[in-house]
RNA sequence: GGGGGCGUAGCUCAGCCUGGUAGAGCAACUGACUUUUAAUCAGUAGGUCUUGGGUUCGAAUCCCAACGCCCUCACCA
């Protein structure tokens, strides 16, 4: 039998339903999200109601049939809505003939509404005993297997709509995602931060070292870049006198895809005038720890084979200390750094000092950063947007937060000296394919008007969600991760548009 | 881009090593059943084995290539 035969069976039922005079794609129906409310209501009325008796009050539920057990003149269904599941029963004796006939034509996956009293079965299962049945939408495609759900990862990502209703754990992750972001927003709003939106399409990109996506605006006939970072726009707002701002929005980077990288990802960036990167450290650890506590119930959470503890304070270690610890070299002793890199097979001959240091750091230190840990005081040349350490100008007042070997946050004491900023924009390091140092004259002009000293912070939201939901892949926390379009079927491309 | 793995019924998976023409469970269809819980019981039907080549008397199985997905390395400072 082919899929079309299975679907034909459902189409036949659709026709029979119409013959009953029923619209198989129903209308407004009260009762959404009632599964949990029904349980609460039953507890409140009479949790010890004897088997066989029913409440005098009726309840309404609307949702999807996930299990269907027809035992003759009685049908039991496991009914899911956004709040959870509840058993619904239809009895031939208690239903109008039309509703009973409709009940016999239901399939797994159909969306129904039911109205009726509550009662317990002899196994103690709370059940809504349908007195009326409303078909809200006929499902024409059989849902995934009821024990295993949908496990094929490709299908799960391509048909997330199926994944979400077939695998309750998946929906739970995205509910947590929403709650965590909501927590961040309120935490910042409570501390006087203003949420703003800055351009996602930019004539000039900057604020990070990454390859951009390009696009074109027809009316102006100009190329635009999808932003790789909102940083330079948010800092312009500091110049404008908005002293505390944040933005939660997408960045786009035209790079590889992995379990930790999606080409579009959600970044939360914030800037606090008159602060510094120490403030950003305490903000970072408190944001994440309070989110863990509020949404997941604890600051200690499992992640893969380990347990992470987000309770502040997180360890703070300097870049130089960690290089000494794991690569056993002095960061400022370049012959030693180059020798250490060479010994590990890391290319170094043609690269700038700071690039070699960074490559050595990634090879030797990063694999150990289970954390949570703040890595602070980076080599200055790697940080063209960061203020130098006044006590040691070789260092920049920057930190990155690492958890489970993932960079989850990046923060600076912001550079607000326009002359230094302009010089930094002109400095290019050998061996860096991409650089943050891209001249932005208007940004320099903004600094010339005077930007308050400030702390700035970027948090990779998707990665934080991964950590707090024990998700191994970034694709498990992004509803529709980027996939290559399926070959079959017509995909409309730019070329088609031109030919049309 | 390199390396490894996977692709069989709508879904979840066997079969491949050792070549002989396709199997199970769930879903579907028919029937029985008024307290089921992954309902049960009896019966029925369902497959271009991702695609294209090759080897062979014979390929889901062995070989090559393409496509897709996953993992990993590189890239992503």
């Amino acid at each position: 039998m082919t899929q079309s035969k299975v679907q034909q069976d459902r189409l036949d039922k659709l026709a029979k339903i119409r013959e009953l005079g029923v619209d198989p794609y129903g209308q407004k129906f009260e009762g959404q999200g009632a599964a949990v409310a029904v349980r609460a209501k039953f507890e409140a009325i009479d949790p010890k109601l004897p088997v066989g008796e029913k409440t005098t009050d009726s309840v309404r539920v609307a949702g999807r049939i996930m299990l269907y057990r027809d035992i003759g003149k009685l049908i039991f269904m496991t009914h899911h809505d956004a709040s959870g599941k509840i058993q619904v029963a239809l009895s031939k004796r208690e239903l109008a003939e039309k509703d009973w006939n409709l009940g016999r034509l239901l399939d797994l996956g159909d969306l129904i509404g039911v109205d009726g009293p509550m009662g317990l079965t002899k196994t103690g299962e709370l059940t809504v005993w349908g007195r009326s049945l409303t078909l809200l939408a006929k499902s024409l495609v059989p849902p995934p297997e009821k024990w295993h759900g949908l496990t094929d990862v490709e299908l799960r990502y391509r048909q997330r709509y199926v994944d979400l209703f077939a695998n309750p754990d998946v929906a739970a992750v995205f509910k947590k995602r929403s709650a965590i972001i909501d927590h961040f927003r309120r935490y910042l709003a409570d501390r006087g931060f203003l949420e703003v939106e800055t351009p996602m399409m930019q004539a000039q990109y900057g604020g990070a070292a990454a390859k951009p996506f390009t696009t074109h605006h027809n009316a102006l006939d100009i190329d635009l870049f999808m932003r790789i970072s909102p940083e330079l726009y948010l800092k312009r707002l500091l110049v404008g006198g908005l002293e505390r701002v944040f933005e939660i929005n997408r960045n786009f980077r035209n790079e590889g895809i992995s379990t930790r990288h999606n080409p579009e990802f959600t970044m939360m960036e914030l800037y606090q005038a008159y602060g510094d990167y120490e403030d950003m450290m305490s903000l970072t650890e408190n944001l994440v720890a309070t989110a863990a506590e509020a949404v997941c119930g604890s600051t200690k959470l499992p992640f893969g084979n380990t347990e992470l503890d987000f309770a502040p304070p997180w360890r703070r270690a300097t870049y130089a200390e960690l290089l000494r610890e794991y690569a056993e070299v002095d960061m400022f002793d370049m012959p030693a750094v180059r020798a250490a890199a060479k010994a590990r097979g890391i290319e170094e001959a043609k690269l700038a000092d700071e690039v070699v240091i960074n490559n050595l750091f990634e090879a030797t230190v990063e694999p150990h950063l289970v954390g949570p840990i703040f890595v602070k005081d980076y080599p200055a040349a790697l940080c063209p947007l960061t203020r130098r350490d006044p006590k040691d100008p070789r260092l920049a007042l920057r930190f990155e937060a690492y958890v489970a070997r993932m960079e989850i946050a990046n923060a600076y004491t912001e550079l607000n000296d326009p002359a230094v900023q302009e010089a930094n924009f002109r400095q290019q390091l050998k061996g860096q394919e991409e650089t943050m140092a891209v001249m932005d004259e208007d940004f320099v002009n903004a600094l010339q008007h005077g930007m308050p000293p400030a702390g700035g912070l970027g948090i990779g939201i998707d990665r934080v969600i991964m950590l707090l939901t024990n998700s191994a892949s970034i694709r498990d926390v992004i509803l529709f991760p980027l996939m290559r379009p399926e070959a079959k079927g017509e995909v409309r491309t730019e070329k088609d548009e031109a030919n049309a």
Side-chain angles (χ1 to χ4, degrees), chain A residues 184-464:
Chain A
F184 286 170
R185 280 205 162 92
R186 263 183 290 167
Y187 190 98
L188 292 175
D190 287 349
R191 285 155 184 78
F193 284 85
L194 183 73
E195 182 165 10
V196 297
E197 292 168 274
T198 62
M200 320 243 315
M201 298 165 78
Q202 306 175 344
Q204 173 157 31
Y205 65 93
K211 296 186 190 73
F213 288 90
T214 59
T215 185
H216 188 81
H217 187 268
N218 291 341
L220 296 181
D221 191 22
I222 51 169
D223 286 332
L224 291 170
F225 302 100
M226 305 300 290
R227 75 172 182 200
I228 57 173
S229 157
E231 172 155 354
L232 300 182
Y233 281 95
L234 290 170
K235 286 189 193 170
R236 285 170 167 96
L237 299 179
L238 293 181
V239 174
L242 304 182
E243 295 177 353
R244 293 186 174 205
V245 292
F246 76 101
E247 177 165 9
I248 299 176
N249 228 321
R250 231 67 65 78
N251 286 350
F252 306 86
R253 296 187 184 175
N254 205 340
E255 288 154 0
I257 295 172
S258 79
T259 49
R260 274 145 298 176
H261 301 84
N262 194 62
E264 56 176 306
F265 63 99
T266 301
M267 177 73 88
M268 181 172 83
E269 279 208 14
L270 63 91
Y271 291 84
Q272 177 178 333
Y274 313 116
D276 66 8
Y277 79 149
E278 298 287 347
D279 296 324
M280 297 300 106
M281 280 185 230
S282 98
L283 189 51
T284 301
E285 61 194 5
N286 282 306
L287 268 168
V288 176
T290 56
E293 187 76 49
V295 177
C296 308
S298 172
T299 57
K300 287 187 186 171
L301 297 174
F303 187 74
N305 301 323
T306 59
E307 187 186 70
L308 301 169
D309 187 353
F310 295 99
W314 297 357
R315 183 185 168 196
R316 287 147 166 80
T318 68
Y319 197 94
E321 282 167 8
L322 291 168
L323 263 182
R324 206 174 305 128
E325 184 175 343
Y326 294 108
E328 296 176 328
V329 292
D330 177 351
M331 181 168 101
F332 300 109
D333 181 351
M334 275 319 296
V337 168
R338 287 187 180 272
K342 206 168 188 173
R344 288 175 170 80
I346 299 167
E347 167 83 34
E348 54 88 25
K350 292 177 182 165
L351 306 184
D353 287 351
E354 291 80 4
V355 177
V356 176
I357 294 172
N358 196 50
N359 290 346
L360 183 65
F361 184 91
E362 286 180 1
T364 57
V365 180
E366 273 194 8
H368 299 283
L369 299 179
V370 175
I373 181 174
F374 292 117
V375 180
K376 53 184 266 191
D377 302 341
Y378 278 62
L382 294 172
C383 316
L385 304 169
T386 311
R387 190 185 201 104
R388 302 300 180 249
D389 184 345
K391 287 173 294 201
D392 184 347
R394 296 173 301 180
L395 298 176
L397 299 175
R398 170 187 189 177
F399 75 79
E400 291 190 351
Y402 279 86
V403 185
R405 301 172 194 86
M406 283 194 296
E407 178 198 335
I408 63 159
N410 181 20
Y412 317 142
T413 295
E414 300 296 342
L415 174 60
N416 66 342
D417 179 331
V420 175
Q421 182 64 79
E422 183 167 14
N424 287 354
F425 274 152
R426 294 189 193 285
Q427 184 198 9
Q428 300 296 322
L429 295 181
K430 279 185 187 170
Q432 266 189 328
E433 267 196 51
E434 299 300 329
T435 173
M436 279 189 232
V438 175
M439 176 58 66
D440 185 329
E441 287 176 9
D442 181 70
F443 179 65
V444 173
N445 185 54
L447 294 189
Q448 284 173 339
H449 282 273
M451 184 182 94
L457 167 66
I459 293 184
I461 293 292
D462 309 286
R463 289 178 177 180
V464 170

Side-chain angles (χ1 to χ4, degrees), chain A residues 26-78:
Chain A
Q27 300 170 39
K28 178 180 168 70
F29 188 92
E30 304 288 340
Q32 315 90 307
V36 160
V38 165
R39 289 183 194 285
K41 184 167 183 179
F42 185 76
E43 287 299 309
I45 294 176
D46 187 359
K48 296 211 171 68
L49 191 70
V51 175
E53 291 188 28
K54 281 153 200 160
T55 58
T56 48
D57 285 10
S58 279
V59 291
R60 288 161 81 79
V61 292
R64 192 183 292 273
I65 302 170
M66 298 305 287
L67 295 170
Y68 182 95
R69 297 177 288 276
D70 174 359
I71 58 169
K73 296 182 180 65
L74 200 55
I75 298 167
F76 290 97
M77 291 174 281
T78 304

